[in-house]
Amino acid sequence: MKIIAIANQKGGVGKTTTAVNLGCALAEQGVRVLIIDLDPQGNATSSFGLQELEGESLYEPLLGTATIVDKILPTRVDRVFIVPADLDLAGAEVEIARLDNHLTRLAETLAPLRSDNTFDFVLLDCPPSLGILMTNALAAADELLTPIQCEYFALEGLVKIVRIIEQVRDSGANDRLEIGGIVMTMFDSRTNLSAQVVADVRAHFGERVYEAVIPRTVRLSEAPSFGKSVLEHDPNGTGARAYRALAVEFLQRHPV
Ligand SMILES: Nc1ncnc2c1ncn2[C@@H]1O[C@H](COP(=O)(O)OP(=O)(O)OP(=O)(O)O)[C@@H](O)[C@H]1O
Ligand SMILES: [Mg+2]
């Protein structure tokens, strides 16, 4: 089992969209995926139409009053499971901060999943801010998958992430953490800017940047309102094809 943190401290770059659609595209390829919604906003949760549940989140496992296995729910997609989030999770930030092992709570919570191998991949949908939940995700992850929006300040944002990773390594919370992959999102083929940004990011980060580039498409942004992934909402559209291509490439890099 591999734990992948889908993380970028910048908001609105496509973390949740990538967690949901890459997760579903990986499952289409036959692997078993657990998506953990680490964002109290619960966007990944509502993308699966599961927003009405109460008390189903990582809150209790993080505080040690339940195990993660109790909080794993099936979704309507075969082989895709989720630990949902709700606003309670925001409260966990404060309470975890008081615990001794506050940086490694998530890593400890996930330990049973590492040993039983029920899932091939655990995708952590991280919140945008650099709080306790995001730091816990970085401490628990085998690697990062960072979505970058094709816009002007993309490289500046990446420099910040690299620095954050160095801090997590130096803190001793996770000395093997690195950026495993970068996925360029919201690519607009009508502008030169998008192509220029992709070229710049590739020049700096080389092979780590996935060949698959996610286009900006309305289908991707409207799919969650139907409680569906884009693979189900618009199976033959450019968004679905891009996430499928990303999944194939991801599996080449992470053979199961
Ligand atoms: N490729 C795309 N094309 C069009 N819209 C997109 C695309 N990817 C994401 N979006 C839309 O952009 C918004 C931000 O995307 P998303 O929620 O995935 O980002 P995020 O990084 O998870 O945001 P946050 O930091 O708030 O958690 C959403 O409304 C989403 O539907
Ligand atoms: Mg999000």
Side-chain angles (χ1 to χ4, degrees):
M1 185 188 90
K2 268 219 164 341
I3 302 175
I4 314 282
I6 302 186
N8 185 336
Q9 79 289 341
K10 194 156 189 279
V13 297
K15 294 182 288 294
T16 301
T17 304
T18 298
V20 169
N21 292 295
L22 173 62
C24 292
L26 285 170
E28 243 182 28
Q29 298 287 321
V31 301
R32 298 154 304 166
V33 178
L34 174 63
I35 296 172
I36 298 186
D37 192 345
L38 269 178
D39 188 342
Q41 296 179 91
N43 295 147
T45 301
S46 45
S47 299
F48 286 102
L50 293 171
Q51 61 275 34
E52 302 300 326
L53 305 165
E54 262 191 36
E56 297 295 334
S57 79
L58 208 58
Y59 180 86
E60 290 175 8
L62 282 176
L63 292 170
T65 57
T67 71
I68 182 131
V69 179
D70 298 330
K71 302 295 176 186
I72 297 174
L73 302 178
T75 67
R76 36 186 283 169
V77 180
D78 284 346
R79 292 180 293 280
V80 177
F81 294 77
I82 188 166
V83 176
D86 57 20
L87 277 175
D88 285 353
L89 202 53
E93 292 244 16
V94 184
E95 294 179 48
I96 295 168
R98 294 200 206 108
L99 304 175
D100 288 340
N101 46 359
H102 62 271
L103 284 182
T104 52
R105 281 305 308 150
L106 180 61
E108 286 157 36
T109 302
L110 295 179
L113 297 182
R114 279 212 193 267
S115 51
D116 80 0
N117 231 6
T118 310
F119 298 101
D120 298 300
F121 297 104
V122 174
L123 305 180
L124 306 174
D125 181 26
C126 294
S129 66
L130 249 189
I132 287 256
L133 289 168
M134 159 104 163
T135 320
N136 263 268
L138 298 184
D142 295 304
E143 62 179 64
L144 245 71
L145 172 59
T146 299
I148 304 285
Q149 196 179 332
C150 296
E151 51 146 41
Y152 190 63
F153 290 112
L155 270 176
E156 278 84 344
L158 261 170
V159 170
K160 271 192 208 142
I161 296 166
V162 170
R163 216 175 290 141
I164 291 164
I165 291 173
E166 281 164 6
Q167 283 167 4
V168 172
R169 273 199 233 127
D170 292 345
S171 76
N174 184 353
D175 51 21
R176 61 187 199 298
L177 186 66
E178 57 182 328
I179 297 190
I182 293 171
V183 56
M184 304 302 301
T185 63
M186 300 187 223
F187 182 89
D188 187 344
S189 57
R190 295 165 307 179
T191 68
N192 292 331
L193 177 64
S194 272
Q196 189 56 50
V197 171
V198 173
D200 287 350
V201 173
R202 282 198 204 285
H204 277 80
F205 290 88
E207 302 270 283
R208 275 187 285 180
V209 186
Y210 279 96
E211 286 298 324
V213 170
I214 311 301
R216 181 182 284 283
T217 125
V218 173
R219 296 296 193 198
L220 271 168
S221 56
E222 69 189 12
S225 63
F226 298 97
K228 291 177 178 173
S229 76
V230 77
L231 305 182
E232 203 185 343
H233 176 58
D234 182 32
N236 300 313
T238 55
R241 277 190 270 139
Y243 274 109
R244 281 201 195 97
L246 181 65
V248 168
E249 232 182 295
F250 181 94
L251 287 173
Q252 282 162 359
R253 295 190 189 188
H254 306 88
V256 175

